[in-house]
mmCIF file of all heavy atoms in Angstrom:
data_model
loop_
_atom_site.group_PDB
_atom_site.id
_atom_site.type_symbol
_atom_site.label_atom_id
_atom_site.label_comp_id
_atom_site.label_asym_id
_atom_site.label_seq_id
_atom_site.Cartn_x
_atom_site.Cartn_y
_atom_site.Cartn_z
ATOM 1 N N MET A 1 4.459 -3.039 1.002
ATOM 2 C CA MET A 1 3.569 -2.249 0.150
ATOM 3 C C MET A 1 3.549 -0.798 0.637
ATOM 4 O O MET A 1 3.583 -0.543 1.824
ATOM 5 C CB MET A 1 2.154 -2.842 0.234
ATOM 6 C CG MET A 1 1.185 -2.221 -0.748
ATOM 7 S SD MET A 1 -0.360 -3.162 -0.781
ATOM 8 C CE MET A 1 -1.240 -2.371 0.562
ATOM 9 N N LYS A 2 3.541 0.100 -0.319
ATOM 10 C CA LYS A 2 3.536 1.520 0.025
ATOM 11 C C LYS A 2 2.308 2.173 -0.623
ATOM 12 O O LYS A 2 2.005 1.914 -1.784
ATOM 13 C CB LYS A 2 4.826 2.160 -0.500
ATOM 14 C CG LYS A 2 5.047 3.559 -0.021
ATOM 15 C CD LYS A 2 6.456 4.033 -0.402
ATOM 16 C CE LYS A 2 6.580 5.499 -0.020
ATOM 17 N NZ LYS A 2 7.120 6.324 -1.068
ATOM 18 N N VAL A 3 1.626 2.986 0.143
ATOM 19 C CA VAL A 3 0.419 3.657 -0.346
ATOM 20 C C VAL A 3 0.600 5.160 -0.192
ATOM 21 O O VAL A 3 1.009 5.629 0.876
ATOM 22 C CB VAL A 3 -0.821 3.234 0.474
ATOM 23 C CG1 VAL A 3 -2.069 3.947 -0.042
ATOM 24 C CG2 VAL A 3 -1.018 1.725 0.440
ATOM 25 N N PHE A 4 0.355 5.900 -1.242
ATOM 26 C CA PHE A 4 0.390 7.350 -1.103
ATOM 27 C C PHE A 4 -0.564 8.022 -2.082
ATOM 28 O O PHE A 4 -1.055 7.407 -3.022
ATOM 29 C CB PHE A 4 1.814 7.891 -1.250
ATOM 30 C CG PHE A 4 2.460 7.622 -2.578
ATOM 31 C CD1 PHE A 4 2.410 8.579 -3.579
ATOM 32 C CD2 PHE A 4 3.113 6.423 -2.820
ATOM 33 C CE1 PHE A 4 3.020 8.338 -4.812
ATOM 34 C CE2 PHE A 4 3.718 6.179 -4.041
ATOM 35 C CZ PHE A 4 3.672 7.136 -5.043
ATOM 36 N N VAL A 5 -0.843 9.280 -1.797
ATOM 37 C CA VAL A 5 -1.743 10.072 -2.633
ATOM 38 C C VAL A 5 -0.917 11.119 -3.378
ATOM 39 O O VAL A 5 -0.098 11.822 -2.778
ATOM 40 C CB VAL A 5 -2.819 10.784 -1.783
ATOM 41 C CG1 VAL A 5 -3.662 11.726 -2.647
ATOM 42 C CG2 VAL A 5 -3.715 9.759 -1.081
ATOM 43 N N GLU A 6 -1.105 11.207 -4.666
ATOM 44 C CA GLU A 6 -0.479 12.271 -5.460
ATOM 45 C C GLU A 6 -1.256 13.557 -5.224
ATOM 46 O O GLU A 6 -2.358 13.746 -5.740
ATOM 47 C CB GLU A 6 -0.504 11.910 -6.950
ATOM 48 C CG GLU A 6 0.554 10.929 -7.355
ATOM 49 C CD GLU A 6 0.561 10.678 -8.854
ATOM 50 O OE1 GLU A 6 -0.410 11.054 -9.542
ATOM 51 O OE2 GLU A 6 1.537 10.103 -9.321
ATOM 52 N N LYS A 7 -0.654 14.425 -4.425
ATOM 53 C CA LYS A 7 -1.347 15.625 -3.980
ATOM 54 C C LYS A 7 -1.782 16.532 -5.129
ATOM 55 O O LYS A 7 -2.856 17.118 -5.102
ATOM 56 C CB LYS A 7 -0.427 16.398 -3.030
ATOM 57 C CG LYS A 7 -1.157 17.064 -1.883
ATOM 58 C CD LYS A 7 -0.176 17.699 -0.913
ATOM 59 C CE LYS A 7 -0.310 17.183 0.506
ATOM 60 N NZ LYS A 7 -1.590 17.355 1.133
ATOM 61 N N GLU A 8 -0.932 16.616 -6.129
ATOM 62 C CA GLU A 8 -1.262 17.520 -7.240
ATOM 63 C C GLU A 8 -2.404 16.978 -8.099
ATOM 64 O O GLU A 8 -3.039 17.727 -8.835
ATOM 65 C CB GLU A 8 -0.021 17.826 -8.089
ATOM 66 C CG GLU A 8 0.713 16.642 -8.689
ATOM 67 C CD GLU A 8 1.609 15.903 -7.681
ATOM 68 O OE1 GLU A 8 1.645 16.261 -6.492
ATOM 69 O OE2 GLU A 8 2.249 14.939 -8.102
ATOM 70 N N THR A 9 -2.667 15.689 -7.977
ATOM 71 C CA THR A 9 -3.742 15.063 -8.757
ATOM 72 C C THR A 9 -5.058 15.023 -7.991
ATOM 73 O O THR A 9 -6.133 15.165 -8.568
ATOM 74 C CB THR A 9 -3.339 13.623 -9.147
ATOM 75 O OG1 THR A 9 -2.067 13.655 -9.782
ATOM 76 C CG2 THR A 9 -4.360 13.007 -10.096
ATOM 77 N N CYS A 10 -4.977 14.840 -6.685
ATOM 78 C CA CYS A 10 -6.172 14.715 -5.829
ATOM 79 C C CYS A 10 -7.060 15.958 -5.952
ATOM 80 O O CYS A 10 -6.583 17.084 -5.926
ATOM 81 C CB CYS A 10 -5.725 14.537 -4.380
ATOM 82 S SG CYS A 10 -7.075 14.574 -3.185
ATOM 83 N N ILE A 11 -8.369 15.704 -6.104
ATOM 84 C CA ILE A 11 -9.325 16.814 -6.182
ATOM 85 C C ILE A 11 -10.125 16.964 -4.884
ATOM 86 O O ILE A 11 -11.068 17.743 -4.810
ATOM 87 C CB ILE A 11 -10.292 16.633 -7.379
ATOM 88 C CG1 ILE A 11 -11.031 15.284 -7.293
ATOM 89 C CG2 ILE A 11 -9.529 16.753 -8.705
ATOM 90 C CD1 ILE A 11 -12.166 15.120 -8.318
ATOM 91 N N GLY A 12 -9.750 16.191 -3.869
ATOM 92 C CA GLY A 12 -10.377 16.338 -2.563
ATOM 93 C C GLY A 12 -11.831 15.932 -2.494
ATOM 94 O O GLY A 12 -12.597 16.455 -1.678
ATOM 95 N N CYS A 13 -12.216 14.964 -3.301
ATOM 96 C CA CYS A 13 -13.635 14.575 -3.362
ATOM 97 C C CYS A 13 -14.096 13.835 -2.114
ATOM 98 O O CYS A 13 -15.286 13.777 -1.827
ATOM 99 C CB CYS A 13 -13.884 13.714 -4.590
ATOM 100 S SG CYS A 13 -13.090 12.090 -4.490
ATOM 101 N N GLY A 14 -13.173 13.222 -1.387
ATOM 102 C CA GLY A 14 -13.532 12.545 -0.147
ATOM 103 C C GLY A 14 -13.930 11.083 -0.291
ATOM 104 O O GLY A 14 -14.219 10.421 0.709
ATOM 105 N N VAL A 15 -13.942 10.571 -1.500
ATOM 106 C CA VAL A 15 -14.348 9.175 -1.718
ATOM 107 C C VAL A 15 -13.457 8.204 -0.933
ATOM 108 O O VAL A 15 -13.941 7.273 -0.288
ATOM 109 C CB VAL A 15 -14.336 8.833 -3.229
ATOM 110 C CG1 VAL A 15 -14.366 7.327 -3.451
ATOM 111 C CG2 VAL A 15 -15.530 9.485 -3.915
ATOM 112 N N CYS A 16 -12.153 8.427 -0.985
ATOM 113 C CA CYS A 16 -11.243 7.493 -0.310
ATOM 114 C C CYS A 16 -11.460 7.487 1.200
ATOM 115 O O CYS A 16 -11.479 6.434 1.828
ATOM 116 C CB CYS A 16 -9.793 7.825 -0.643
ATOM 117 S SG CYS A 16 -9.304 9.512 -0.280
ATOM 118 N N GLU A 17 -11.649 8.661 1.772
ATOM 119 C CA GLU A 17 -11.884 8.743 3.221
ATOM 120 C C GLU A 17 -13.197 8.064 3.593
ATOM 121 O O GLU A 17 -13.287 7.385 4.621
ATOM 122 C CB GLU A 17 -11.886 10.207 3.668
ATOM 123 C CG GLU A 17 -11.928 10.369 5.174
ATOM 124 C CD GLU A 17 -11.999 11.831 5.574
ATOM 125 O OE1 GLU A 17 -12.935 12.538 5.126
ATOM 126 O OE2 GLU A 17 -11.124 12.264 6.325
ATOM 127 N N ASN A 18 -14.214 8.239 2.770
ATOM 128 C CA ASN A 18 -15.493 7.601 3.051
ATOM 129 C C ASN A 18 -15.408 6.087 2.955
ATOM 130 O O ASN A 18 -15.964 5.370 3.787
ATOM 131 C CB ASN A 18 -16.573 8.110 2.077
ATOM 132 C CG ASN A 18 -17.006 9.518 2.404
ATOM 133 O OD1 ASN A 18 -16.917 9.959 3.546
ATOM 134 N ND2 ASN A 18 -17.469 10.241 1.397
ATOM 135 N N LEU A 19 -14.709 5.607 1.926
ATOM 136 C CA LEU A 19 -14.617 4.158 1.703
ATOM 137 C C LEU A 19 -13.640 3.496 2.657
ATOM 138 O O LEU A 19 -13.816 2.338 3.017
ATOM 139 C CB LEU A 19 -14.155 3.876 0.270
ATOM 140 C CG LEU A 19 -15.190 3.951 -0.836
ATOM 141 C CD1 LEU A 19 -14.500 3.727 -2.186
ATOM 142 C CD2 LEU A 19 -16.275 2.906 -0.642
ATOM 143 N N CYS A 20 -12.625 4.223 3.051
ATOM 144 C CA CYS A 20 -11.524 3.598 3.774
ATOM 145 C C CYS A 20 -10.909 4.573 4.788
ATOM 146 O O CYS A 20 -9.765 5.015 4.638
ATOM 147 C CB CYS A 20 -10.479 3.145 2.756
ATOM 148 S SG CYS A 20 -9.323 1.947 3.415
ATOM 149 N N PRO A 21 -11.673 4.907 5.818
ATOM 150 C CA PRO A 21 -11.178 5.894 6.802
ATOM 151 C C PRO A 21 -9.975 5.416 7.606
ATOM 152 O O PRO A 21 -9.285 6.231 8.212
ATOM 153 C CB PRO A 21 -12.393 6.121 7.713
ATOM 154 C CG PRO A 21 -13.292 4.952 7.508
ATOM 155 C CD PRO A 21 -13.043 4.456 6.106
ATOM 156 N N ASP A 22 -9.707 4.100 7.573
ATOM 157 C CA ASP A 22 -8.514 3.588 8.259
ATOM 158 C C ASP A 22 -7.237 3.908 7.502
ATOM 159 O O ASP A 22 -6.139 3.772 8.041
ATOM 160 C CB ASP A 22 -8.600 2.063 8.429
ATOM 161 C CG ASP A 22 -9.637 1.666 9.466
ATOM 162 O OD1 ASP A 22 -10.030 2.525 10.276
ATOM 163 O OD2 ASP A 22 -10.056 0.493 9.461
ATOM 164 N N ALA A 23 -7.385 4.314 6.253
ATOM 165 C CA ALA A 23 -6.192 4.521 5.427
ATOM 166 C C ALA A 23 -6.041 5.953 4.912
ATOM 167 O O ALA A 23 -4.933 6.375 4.613
ATOM 168 C CB ALA A 23 -6.206 3.556 4.248
ATOM 169 N N PHE A 24 -7.154 6.692 4.788
ATOM 170 C CA PHE A 24 -7.071 8.010 4.160
ATOM 171 C C PHE A 24 -7.785 9.070 4.995
ATOM 172 O O PHE A 24 -8.801 8.796 5.631
ATOM 173 C CB PHE A 24 -7.688 7.973 2.757
ATOM 174 C CG PHE A 24 -7.022 7.012 1.845
ATOM 175 C CD1 PHE A 24 -7.581 5.769 1.594
ATOM 176 C CD2 PHE A 24 -5.807 7.318 1.244
ATOM 177 C CE1 PHE A 24 -6.937 4.843 0.768
ATOM 178 C CE2 PHE A 24 -5.161 6.411 0.420
ATOM 179 C CZ PHE A 24 -5.734 5.174 0.180
ATOM 180 N N ALA A 25 -7.246 10.260 4.962
ATOM 181 C CA ALA A 25 -7.868 11.380 5.652
ATOM 182 C C ALA A 25 -7.695 12.639 4.813
ATOM 183 O O ALA A 25 -6.634 12.862 4.222
ATOM 184 C CB ALA A 25 -7.227 11.585 7.028
ATOM 185 N N ILE A 26 -8.742 13.427 4.747
ATOM 186 C CA ILE A 26 -8.659 14.719 4.079
ATOM 187 C C ILE A 26 -7.994 15.716 5.033
ATOM 188 O O ILE A 26 -8.387 15.840 6.185
ATOM 189 C CB ILE A 26 -10.060 15.235 3.680
ATOM 190 C CG1 ILE A 26 -10.789 14.246 2.756
ATOM 191 C CG2 ILE A 26 -9.949 16.614 3.012
ATOM 192 C CD1 ILE A 26 -10.205 14.107 1.369
ATOM 193 N N GLN A 27 -6.987 16.402 4.532
ATOM 194 C CA GLN A 27 -6.243 17.358 5.358
ATOM 195 C C GLN A 27 -6.855 18.765 5.262
ATOM 196 O O GLN A 27 -7.781 18.995 4.492
ATOM 197 C CB GLN A 27 -4.786 17.398 4.884
ATOM 198 C CG GLN A 27 -4.077 16.058 4.950
ATOM 199 C CD GLN A 27 -3.911 15.549 6.372
ATOM 200 O OE1 GLN A 27 -3.011 15.980 7.088
ATOM 201 N NE2 GLN A 27 -4.799 14.655 6.791
ATOM 202 N N ASP A 28 -6.290 19.672 6.037
ATOM 203 C CA ASP A 28 -6.780 21.054 6.062
ATOM 204 C C ASP A 28 -6.712 21.719 4.684
ATOM 205 O O ASP A 28 -7.487 22.612 4.382
ATOM 206 C CB ASP A 28 -5.972 21.892 7.054
ATOM 207 C CG ASP A 28 -6.277 21.486 8.494
ATOM 208 O OD1 ASP A 28 -7.291 20.795 8.709
ATOM 209 O OD2 ASP A 28 -5.497 21.855 9.384
ATOM 210 N N ASP A 29 -5.778 21.264 3.852
ATOM 211 C CA ASP A 29 -5.646 21.848 2.514
ATOM 212 C C ASP A 29 -6.651 21.262 1.523
ATOM 213 O O ASP A 29 -6.655 21.599 0.349
ATOM 214 C CB ASP A 29 -4.216 21.693 1.985
ATOM 215 C CG ASP A 29 -3.806 20.226 1.785
ATOM 216 O OD1 ASP A 29 -4.638 19.320 2.043
ATOM 217 O OD2 ASP A 29 -2.653 19.992 1.378
ATOM 218 N N GLY A 30 -7.506 20.341 2.009
ATOM 219 C CA GLY A 30 -8.549 19.776 1.158
ATOM 220 C C GLY A 30 -8.106 18.574 0.344
ATOM 221 O O GLY A 30 -8.893 18.025 -0.425
ATOM 222 N N LYS A 31 -6.863 18.158 0.524
ATOM 223 C CA LYS A 31 -6.340 17.005 -0.203
ATOM 224 C C LYS A 31 -6.242 15.818 0.746
ATOM 225 O O LYS A 31 -6.055 15.969 1.944
ATOM 226 C CB LYS A 31 -4.946 17.317 -0.766
ATOM 227 C CG LYS A 31 -4.876 18.591 -1.582
ATOM 228 C CD LYS A 31 -5.421 18.391 -2.965
ATOM 229 C CE LYS A 31 -5.242 19.660 -3.788
ATOM 230 N NZ LYS A 31 -5.055 19.375 -5.202
ATOM 231 N N ALA A 32 -6.342 14.628 0.153
ATOM 232 C CA ALA A 32 -6.239 13.409 0.955
ATOM 233 C C ALA A 32 -4.786 13.004 1.149
ATOM 234 O O ALA A 32 -3.939 13.284 0.300
ATOM 235 C CB ALA A 32 -7.001 12.284 0.262
ATOM 236 N N VAL A 33 -4.527 12.347 2.274
ATOM 237 C CA VAL A 33 -3.228 11.704 2.483
ATOM 238 C C VAL A 33 -3.469 10.283 2.983
ATOM 239 O O VAL A 33 -4.501 9.990 3.586
ATOM 240 C CB VAL A 33 -2.343 12.437 3.516
ATOM 241 C CG1 VAL A 33 -1.909 13.793 2.989
ATOM 242 C CG2 VAL A 33 -3.023 12.551 4.859
ATOM 243 N N ALA A 34 -2.518 9.413 2.726
ATOM 244 C CA ALA A 34 -2.520 8.081 3.311
ATOM 245 C C ALA A 34 -1.994 8.215 4.731
ATOM 246 O O ALA A 34 -0.963 8.836 4.964
ATOM 247 C CB ALA A 34 -1.643 7.146 2.491
ATOM 248 N N ILE A 35 -2.727 7.674 5.679
ATOM 249 C CA ILE A 35 -2.335 7.825 7.072
ATOM 250 C C ILE A 35 -1.534 6.612 7.545
ATOM 251 O O ILE A 35 -1.435 5.604 6.842
ATOM 252 C CB ILE A 35 -3.566 8.067 7.986
ATOM 253 C CG1 ILE A 35 -4.574 6.924 7.877
ATOM 254 C CG2 ILE A 35 -4.220 9.393 7.612
ATOM 255 C CD1 ILE A 35 -5.799 7.122 8.764
ATOM 256 N N GLU A 36 -0.965 6.718 8.726
ATOM 257 C CA GLU A 36 -0.178 5.650 9.344
ATOM 258 C C GLU A 36 -0.920 4.312 9.257
ATOM 259 O O GLU A 36 -2.087 4.230 9.647
ATOM 260 C CB GLU A 36 0.045 6.040 10.819
ATOM 261 C CG GLU A 36 0.916 5.104 11.597
ATOM 262 C CD GLU A 36 2.388 5.366 11.316
ATOM 263 O OE1 GLU A 36 2.741 6.519 11.031
ATOM 264 O OE2 GLU A 36 3.158 4.392 11.382
ATOM 265 N N GLY A 37 -0.271 3.319 8.746
ATOM 266 C CA GLY A 37 -0.868 1.990 8.681
ATOM 267 C C GLY A 37 -1.775 1.770 7.483
ATOM 268 O O GLY A 37 -2.463 0.758 7.401
ATOM 269 N N ALA A 38 -1.794 2.701 6.559
ATOM 270 C CA ALA A 38 -2.699 2.615 5.413
ATOM 271 C C ALA A 38 -2.521 1.317 4.631
ATOM 272 O O ALA A 38 -3.510 0.712 4.186
ATOM 273 C CB ALA A 38 -2.485 3.811 4.482
ATOM 274 N N SER A 39 -1.283 0.871 4.503
ATOM 275 C CA SER A 39 -1.036 -0.320 3.695
ATOM 276 C C SER A 39 -1.632 -1.579 4.313
ATOM 277 O O SER A 39 -1.799 -2.593 3.651
ATOM 278 C CB SER A 39 0.462 -0.499 3.459
ATOM 279 O OG SER A 39 1.127 -0.673 4.683
ATOM 280 N N GLU A 40 -1.964 -1.514 5.600
ATOM 281 C CA GLU A 40 -2.538 -2.677 6.287
ATOM 282 C C GLU A 40 -4.051 -2.758 6.111
ATOM 283 O O GLU A 40 -4.667 -3.777 6.414
ATOM 284 C CB GLU A 40 -2.238 -2.598 7.803
ATOM 285 C CG GLU A 40 -0.773 -2.414 8.151
ATOM 286 C CD GLU A 40 0.087 -3.585 7.698
ATOM 287 O OE1 GLU A 40 -0.389 -4.726 7.781
ATOM 288 O OE2 GLU A 40 1.209 -3.333 7.230
ATOM 289 N N ALA A 41 -4.670 -1.685 5.650
ATOM 290 C CA ALA A 41 -6.133 -1.638 5.570
ATOM 291 C C ALA A 41 -6.631 -2.396 4.339
ATOM 292 O O ALA A 41 -6.192 -2.117 3.223
ATOM 293 C CB ALA A 41 -6.612 -0.196 5.546
ATOM 294 N N PRO A 42 -7.536 -3.359 4.525
ATOM 295 C CA PRO A 42 -8.025 -4.160 3.402
ATOM 296 C C PRO A 42 -8.767 -3.341 2.333
ATOM 297 O O PRO A 42 -8.856 -3.760 1.182
ATOM 298 C CB PRO A 42 -8.993 -5.153 4.056
ATOM 299 C CG PRO A 42 -8.738 -5.093 5.520
ATOM 300 C CD PRO A 42 -8.113 -3.777 5.807
ATOM 301 N N CYS A 43 -9.261 -2.180 2.733
ATOM 302 C CA CYS A 43 -10.071 -1.371 1.814
ATOM 303 C C CYS A 43 -9.232 -0.472 0.901
ATOM 304 O O CYS A 43 -9.781 0.260 0.070
ATOM 305 C CB CYS A 43 -11.047 -0.524 2.630
ATOM 306 S SG CYS A 43 -10.296 0.328 4.032
ATOM 307 N N VAL A 44 -7.921 -0.510 1.044
ATOM 308 C CA VAL A 44 -7.053 0.388 0.272
ATOM 309 C C VAL A 44 -7.241 0.220 -1.239
ATOM 310 O O VAL A 44 -7.360 1.206 -1.968
ATOM 311 C CB VAL A 44 -5.577 0.164 0.661
ATOM 312 C CG1 VAL A 44 -4.637 0.653 -0.422
ATOM 313 C CG2 VAL A 44 -5.268 0.891 1.952
ATOM 314 N N GLN A 45 -7.263 -1.017 -1.686
ATOM 315 C CA GLN A 45 -7.380 -1.250 -3.126
ATOM 316 C C GLN A 45 -8.726 -0.743 -3.643
ATOM 317 O O GLN A 45 -8.814 -0.140 -4.724
ATOM 318 C CB GLN A 45 -7.218 -2.747 -3.433
ATOM 319 C CG GLN A 45 -7.192 -3.050 -4.928
ATOM 320 C CD GLN A 45 -5.982 -2.448 -5.621
ATOM 321 O OE1 GLN A 45 -4.846 -2.703 -5.228
ATOM 322 N NE2 GLN A 45 -6.207 -1.632 -6.643
ATOM 323 N N ASP A 46 -9.780 -0.978 -2.871
ATOM 324 C CA ASP A 46 -11.118 -0.514 -3.250
ATOM 325 C C ASP A 46 -11.138 1.013 -3.376
ATOM 326 O O ASP A 46 -11.686 1.578 -4.328
ATOM 327 C CB ASP A 46 -12.131 -0.989 -2.201
ATOM 328 C CG ASP A 46 -13.566 -0.784 -2.651
ATOM 329 O OD1 ASP A 46 -13.807 -0.751 -3.875
ATOM 330 O OD2 ASP A 46 -14.446 -0.661 -1.777
ATOM 331 N N ALA A 47 -10.498 1.674 -2.416
ATOM 332 C CA ALA A 47 -10.436 3.134 -2.453
ATOM 333 C C ALA A 47 -9.651 3.610 -3.670
ATOM 334 O O ALA A 47 -10.061 4.543 -4.368
ATOM 335 C CB ALA A 47 -9.802 3.660 -1.162
ATOM 336 N N ALA A 48 -8.538 2.949 -3.944
ATOM 337 C CA ALA A 48 -7.720 3.330 -5.099
ATOM 338 C C ALA A 48 -8.505 3.159 -6.397
ATOM 339 O O ALA A 48 -8.464 4.016 -7.281
ATOM 340 C CB ALA A 48 -6.440 2.495 -5.133
ATOM 341 N N ASP A 49 -9.235 2.059 -6.480
ATOM 342 C CA ASP A 49 -10.031 1.794 -7.687
ATOM 343 C C ASP A 49 -11.169 2.807 -7.839
ATOM 344 O O ASP A 49 -11.635 3.054 -8.952
ATOM 345 C CB ASP A 49 -10.626 0.379 -7.631
ATOM 346 C CG ASP A 49 -9.571 -0.704 -7.752
ATOM 347 O OD1 ASP A 49 -8.446 -0.396 -8.175
ATOM 348 O OD2 ASP A 49 -9.883 -1.860 -7.410
ATOM 349 N N SER A 50 -11.610 3.369 -6.724
ATOM 350 C CA SER A 50 -12.765 4.271 -6.743
ATOM 351 C C SER A 50 -12.386 5.740 -6.869
ATOM 352 O O SER A 50 -13.256 6.588 -7.084
ATOM 353 C CB SER A 50 -13.586 4.071 -5.458
ATOM 354 O OG SER A 50 -14.028 2.738 -5.364
ATOM 355 N N CYS A 51 -11.107 6.046 -6.733
ATOM 356 C CA CYS A 51 -10.676 7.436 -6.876
ATOM 357 C C CYS A 51 -10.940 7.904 -8.312
ATOM 358 O O CYS A 51 -10.465 7.282 -9.257
ATOM 359 C CB CYS A 51 -9.195 7.558 -6.538
ATOM 360 S SG CYS A 51 -8.541 9.215 -6.858
ATOM 361 N N PRO A 52 -11.683 8.988 -8.480
ATOM 362 C CA PRO A 52 -12.068 9.406 -9.831
ATOM 363 C C PRO A 52 -10.906 9.922 -10.683
ATOM 364 O O PRO A 52 -11.036 9.990 -11.909
ATOM 365 C CB PRO A 52 -13.087 10.522 -9.577
ATOM 366 C CG PRO A 52 -12.798 11.018 -8.211
ATOM 367 C CD PRO A 52 -12.275 9.841 -7.442
ATOM 368 N N VAL A 53 -9.794 10.258 -10.050
ATOM 369 C CA VAL A 53 -8.655 10.792 -10.820
ATOM 370 C C VAL A 53 -7.382 9.942 -10.673
ATOM 371 O O VAL A 53 -6.288 10.366 -11.017
ATOM 372 C CB VAL A 53 -8.361 12.265 -10.429
ATOM 373 C CG1 VAL A 53 -9.503 13.165 -10.877
ATOM 374 C CG2 VAL A 53 -8.120 12.398 -8.932
ATOM 375 N N GLN A 54 -7.559 8.738 -10.147
ATOM 376 C CA GLN A 54 -6.429 7.798 -9.956
ATOM 377 C C GLN A 54 -5.255 8.445 -9.211
ATOM 378 O O GLN A 54 -4.098 8.282 -9.601
ATOM 379 C CB GLN A 54 -5.934 7.252 -11.313
ATOM 380 C CG GLN A 54 -6.862 6.222 -11.938
ATOM 381 C CD GLN A 54 -7.965 6.842 -12.749
ATOM 382 O OE1 GLN A 54 -7.709 7.689 -13.600
ATOM 383 N NE2 GLN A 54 -9.211 6.458 -12.512
ATOM 384 N N ALA A 55 -5.577 9.138 -8.149
ATOM 385 C CA ALA A 55 -4.523 9.814 -7.380
ATOM 386 C C ALA A 55 -3.895 8.921 -6.321
ATOM 387 O O ALA A 55 -2.873 9.288 -5.739
ATOM 388 C CB ALA A 55 -5.091 11.068 -6.718
ATOM 389 N N ILE A 56 -4.514 7.773 -6.068
ATOM 390 C CA ILE A 56 -3.999 6.865 -5.034
ATOM 391 C C ILE A 56 -3.068 5.856 -5.689
ATOM 392 O O ILE A 56 -3.458 5.131 -6.596
ATOM 393 C CB ILE A 56 -5.143 6.139 -4.312
ATOM 394 C CG1 ILE A 56 -6.032 7.156 -3.593
ATOM 395 C CG2 ILE A 56 -4.582 5.115 -3.322
ATOM 396 C CD1 ILE A 56 -7.319 6.568 -3.046
ATOM 397 N N ILE A 57 -1.833 5.872 -5.227
ATOM 398 C CA ILE A 57 -0.806 4.999 -5.800
ATOM 399 C C ILE A 57 -0.475 3.889 -4.800
ATOM 400 O O ILE A 57 -0.203 4.169 -3.628
ATOM 401 C CB ILE A 57 0.486 5.788 -6.108
ATOM 402 C CG1 ILE A 57 0.170 7.051 -6.931
ATOM 403 C CG2 ILE A 57 1.505 4.897 -6.817
ATOM 404 C CD1 ILE A 57 -0.491 6.813 -8.251
ATOM 405 N N ILE A 58 -0.527 2.663 -5.273
ATOM 406 C CA ILE A 58 -0.137 1.515 -4.447
ATOM 407 C C ILE A 58 1.079 0.883 -5.105
ATOM 408 O O ILE A 58 1.006 0.461 -6.256
ATOM 409 C CB ILE A 58 -1.279 0.490 -4.330
ATOM 410 C CG1 ILE A 58 -2.487 1.128 -3.647
ATOM 411 C CG2 ILE A 58 -0.807 -0.739 -3.557
ATOM 412 C CD1 ILE A 58 -3.725 0.234 -3.615
ATOM 413 N N GLU A 59 2.181 0.870 -4.358
ATOM 414 C CA GLU A 59 3.406 0.240 -4.871
ATOM 415 C C GLU A 59 3.638 -1.048 -4.120
ATOM 416 O O GLU A 59 3.631 -1.059 -2.890
ATOM 417 C CB GLU A 59 4.601 1.188 -4.683
ATOM 418 C CG GLU A 59 4.580 2.367 -5.645
ATOM 419 C CD GLU A 59 5.779 3.294 -5.451
ATOM 420 O OE1 GLU A 59 6.505 3.138 -4.452
ATOM 421 O OE2 GLU A 59 5.967 4.166 -6.306
ATOM 422 N N GLU A 60 3.825 -2.102 -4.838
ATOM 423 C CA GLU A 60 4.075 -3.412 -4.195
ATOM 424 C C GLU A 60 5.495 -3.481 -3.668
ATOM 425 O O GLU A 60 6.383 -2.864 -4.193
ATOM 426 C CB GLU A 60 3.828 -4.545 -5.184
ATOM 427 C CG GLU A 60 2.395 -4.586 -5.705
ATOM 428 C CD GLU A 60 1.362 -4.761 -4.589
ATOM 429 O OE1 GLU A 60 1.692 -5.392 -3.566
ATOM 430 O OE2 GLU A 60 0.237 -4.268 -4.739
HETATM 431 S S1 LIG B 1 -10.672 9.649 -3.864
HETATM 432 FE FE1 LIG B 1 -8.910 10.446 -4.985
HETATM 433 S S2 LIG B 1 -9.449 12.534 -5.560
HETATM 434 FE FE2 LIG B 1 -10.906 11.882 -4.000
HETATM 435 S S3 LIG B 1 -10.008 12.651 -2.084
HETATM 436 FE FE3 LIG B 1 -9.297 10.544 -2.353
HETATM 437 S S4 LIG B 1 -7.314 10.713 -3.418
HETATM 438 FE FE4 LIG B 1 -8.377 12.674 -3.636
#
């Protein structure tokens, strides 16, 4: 499974980092990225479902 954030879509709201800090982090540019091991975090799907702009992509 591969998890990534579409940078051009992300609005930097911080929801994913709050819900799933093991998988997402807001960078200096204000956008979220999927961090090392993100695909292993059980909260990834919840974070993806909660992203207001569907910027979190999960590929099986
Ligand atoms: S929840 Fe979505 S829009 Fe908000 S910071 Fe995360 S990826 Fe970006």
Side-chain angles (χ1 to χ4, degrees):
M1 188 170 87
K2 189 171 174 228
V3 180
F4 61 95
V5 174
E6 281 184 346
K7 217 175 238 301
E8 57 282 2
T9 307
C10 173
I11 56 171
C13 68
V15 164
C16 55
E17 188 183 56
N18 286 334
L19 280 176
C20 197
D22 289 342
F24 300 101
I26 302 291
Q27 301 295 280
D28 290 345
D29 64 1
K31 308 282 184 149
V33 292
I35 58 180
E36 184 80 30
S39 61
E40 307 297 323
C43 47
V44 159
Q45 186 65 56
D46 191 26
D49 291 344
S50 301
C51 174
V53 292
Q54 286 86 50
I56 298 170
I57 309 300
I58 298 174
E59 287 180 349
E60 299 301 330

